[in-house]
Each structure stands twice: as C-alpha cells, then as structure tokens.
Amino acid sequence: MGPELDFEKPILELKGKISELKQFMDEKGIDLSDELNSLQERLAALEKETYGSMTPWERVRVARKLNRPTTLDYIPLLFTDFVECHGDRLYGDDPAIVGGIAKFHGHPVTVIGEQRGRDTKENIKRNFGSPHPEGYRKALRLMKQADKFHRPIITFIDTKGAFPGKAAEERGQSEAIARNLYEMSWLSVPVICVVIGEGASGGALAIGVGNQILMLENSWYSVISPEGAAALLWKDAGKAEEAAKTMKITGSDLKKLGIIDKLIPEVLGGAHHDPKKQADLIDHALIESLTELSQLSADQVREQRLAKYRAIGNYDTVQENLTNHSIFSYSSDRQ
C-alpha cells in the first residue's frame, strides 16, 4: 500500500485508538460502548472534514496511491465476458495498455485502458503504466474493430504519460499518439473516456478523445505533472503543490472549464477504500452516458464529438486586410 499520506495521519491515529478499545473490551469483557460510540462519531466527523476539503495536491497524491484500483480491477466489477486482445499487428504487444471485448449490462462494448503495476515486478512488466507506440496502435486497432461492428468504446485513463525512451521514439511514439487523436475524432460509435487515476500529457490524450470525458473525484488530468510544471516555471520541482493549485487539474476545476463532462464522486477517502462501491458509482455514470449517446446516429456521434472539442476555450478571430495579407489574433479568457 505504501506510506500513508500526512493529511490522513489524524484519521489513522483515531482508527488505531478505536481498534485498541475494541480489543480491550474483548479481552477484559468490559462494556465501553459509550466511549466507543463517541470515538466512532469523532472519526466520522474527522473523515468528513478531512476528505471534504482536500487540496488539489492532496487529490494528486491520492490518485497515485499504489492500492488505488486500476483498469484490470474495474473490468471484472463493471463488465462480463471480457476477452482480452493482444498485439498491434505491426510490432508487438504492450502490457501498459489492456483492451478487449466485453458486455456491459448485456450489451457488447470494447474496453481499453492503461494499466500500471502495484509492485516493482508488475510495474516493470507494465512499464509503470507508460505505453509504447505499439500500445496505442493496439488500442487503435481495437477501436477500428469496434467501429466496424458498431460497439461503443469505453476507455480508462491512468498514466503518468507515454513512455519517452529512445526505443519508443524510434518506433514512432509521436506519430502513434497523433494518429490516435485523428482517428478517434472520426469514429462513428460513442466513445466514453474515464480518468480513474492520473491523466498526463499525450499519454492520456491518445485514448482520451471521447464524446464524453468522465473523471473520478480524486483523479487529475493535465498536459504535464505538477512536478514537471513546477520545474519549468520555477526551476524547482519541490513547488509541485503550488503548481497543482494553479494548474486547475482536478475534476471540479476541469468541469467548470468545460474540459470534462461529468465528475464521478468517490467513496470517502478514495476509491481504494471500497473498489466495489466505487465501481457501482462508475457503472451508474456509464449507464447515464451510454443512454444519452445511444440516441444519436453515426453522423451525430461524430458531430457531437467534434463540437465538444471545438467548444473548449474562448477565442476571438480578427481578420484585417493589409497588402493582401491576413492577420489573425488569438486570445483566451480561460483561467
């Protein structure tokens, strides 16, 4: 599970006291129900106060917890009859992206998601959830298959970014990401993207062009990590907390900015506390989104997706004729 977060320490200490009191009651046979109920009430109030006022940086840290549910944790909780598909038919298979065919409430869908590991051995196998080009090409192969057979596509985003190594660049990492962005824009079936943990850079965007973008409450979505932004802006990665606050990377901020469509609430303390209950909350959101999008024709699905991205950001275009040249200026009042 890794070390607990500092802002959770008072909660853990109180849980420890409750556990000790229960053990004492069992060993001594003494009824201390009133004291126990008082401590449990304090715990409930403390959890509500702590988790109800989390800062952006605290949400980033929760999104990074090793025991946070991954794509492969959610698939059996949300879908039935899942059959995983491997390989991009060009180079090889990338375990950092999993995908296949499944049924969602009896209806066939294609499921694709980024997959990280829980320990060193699994992280090495999954490349720490940072896909190579073949991972994105595998995802695109499955998306085109879904388009051919009229299956909705559901993607789960959870990556620190695409793998930036030499081998990935030699095999066309940038082209693979750009190709996915282009091809996903024109798919005729509904695409729903769910950010379940970290959603960083082109590594997230490569499977994130959807008709609707959903985010878990304690996830983040940005072109760069808080540490990376702090290193660029202030030459100090230690200012990541300040960067996280100014970057507007959490679901509530992105919902206000029109970047995402729906914010999925998390169980108290984070999805890792109750993956089954969290899956139920995701399930409800997916049903709602698929019901909305199923009313659209193939052409309308494309049009809705394109219109969604065209609507992001505010801008003005000014055209002025000067010796047969046109000058265009761009401004944005998004914060």
Side-chain angles (χ1 to χ4, degrees):
M1 289 178 59
E4 294 297 338
L5 305 178
D6 49 6
F7 70 92
E8 294 180 306
K9 286 180 181 179
I11 294 175
L12 297 174
E13 290 173 0
L14 190 52
K15 284 183 176 180
K17 291 180 180 179
I18 291 173
S19 179
E20 290 175 3
L21 182 58
K22 287 181 178 179
Q23 184 178 355
F24 180 80
M25 289 169 59
D26 291 339
E27 291 177 352
K28 303 299 181 180
I30 302 174
D31 184 10
L32 299 173
S33 300
D34 291 341
E35 290 82 353
L36 180 62
N37 290 335
S38 177
L39 286 176
Q40 289 175 332
E41 288 175 3
R42 282 175 55 193
L43 175 62
L46 182 60
E47 286 182 326
K48 186 176 181 180
E49 178 184 357
T50 301
Y51 294 126
S53 59
M54 291 169 61
T55 67
W57 178 239
E58 288 170 345
R59 294 191 189 280
V60 168
R61 296 179 68 191
V62 170
R64 292 174 173 173
K65 287 183 74 73
L66 292 176
N67 58 334
R68 188 171 176 85
T70 66
T71 296
L72 287 177
D73 291 320
Y74 283 125
I75 284 177
L77 295 174
L78 291 167
F79 307 98
T80 59
D81 304 306
F82 176 67
V83 177
E84 186 175 356
C85 301
H86 298 273
D88 66 345
R89 303 300 186 264
L90 293 170
Y91 178 82
D93 186 49
D94 183 4
I97 285 189
V98 297
I101 306 166
K103 286 185 177 179
F104 182 68
H105 291 276
H107 298 282
V109 296
T110 289
V111 183
I112 299 166
E114 286 151 333
Q115 181 66 33
R116 56 183 172 79
R118 292 202 184 281
D119 52 35
T120 302
K121 182 177 180 180
E122 189 179 0
N123 266 320
I124 291 173
K125 175 184 176 182
R126 302 284 181 184
N127 203 40
F128 293 84
S130 294
H132 286 79
E134 52 270 25
Y136 295 122
R137 290 173 180 140
K138 172 172 68 174
L140 181 57
R141 178 176 74 84
L142 295 177
M143 290 178 197
K144 287 188 171 182
Q145 181 192 79
D147 200 42
K148 178 180 180 180
F149 292 102
H150 312 294
R151 291 192 299 266
I153 299 168
I154 299 170
T155 71
F156 294 101
I157 297 171
D158 187 15
T159 182
K160 297 180 185 295
F163 184 62
K166 180 182 177 183
E169 295 298 332
E170 288 175 340
R171 296 198 295 274
Q173 184 73 289
S174 299
E175 188 278 337
I177 293 173
R179 174 66 59 181
N180 276 27
L181 299 181
Y182 175 80
E183 297 285 358
M184 289 186 75
S185 300
W186 296 101
L187 293 170
S188 63
V189 295
V191 181
I192 301 172
C193 309
V194 188
V195 185
I196 59 174
E198 299 188 87
S201 194
L205 285 176
I207 61 168
V209 181
N211 294 85
Q212 290 193 9
I213 311 296
L214 284 54
M215 275 185 74
L216 297 194
E217 190 176 7
N218 294 322
S219 58
W220 64 274
Y221 193 35
S222 173
V223 70
I224 193 171
S225 69
E227 293 89 343
L232 287 174
L233 293 173
W234 301 296
K235 310 301 181 185
D236 182 4
K239 293 186 176 181
E241 182 172 0
E242 184 178 349
K245 182 178 179 180
T246 60
M247 289 167 65
K248 309 297 183 185
I249 61 177
T250 61
S252 58
D253 286 325
L254 294 173
K255 181 71 166 61
K256 294 175 184 176
L257 292 169
I259 306 296
I260 70 164
D261 300 279
K262 295 177 183 177
L263 183 61
I264 302 175
E266 289 199 29
V267 297
L268 196 64
H272 55 287
H273 284 286
D274 193 339
K276 177 63 173 65
K277 185 176 180 180
Q278 189 60 58
D280 290 339
L281 294 169
I282 296 173
D283 181 82
H284 177 77
L286 288 176
I287 291 174
E288 187 179 72
S289 293
L290 283 171
T291 301
E292 294 171 8
L293 295 171
S294 66
Q295 310 300 316
L296 305 179
S297 67
D299 288 339
Q300 289 173 329
V301 164
R302 291 193 192 96
E303 291 169 3
Q304 185 271 344
R305 190 184 304 122
L306 293 171
K308 166 184 168 57
Y309 286 93
R310 288 183 181 130
I312 293 176
N314 293 336
Y315 61 90
D316 298 314
T317 302
V318 179
Q319 181 172 340
E320 181 178 350
N321 291 322
L322 290 175
T323 61
N324 298 323
H325 289 82
S326 295
I327 299 175
F328 295 88
S329 65
Y330 172 88
S331 66
S332 173
D333 59 5
R334 290 285 189 192
Q335 298 299 316

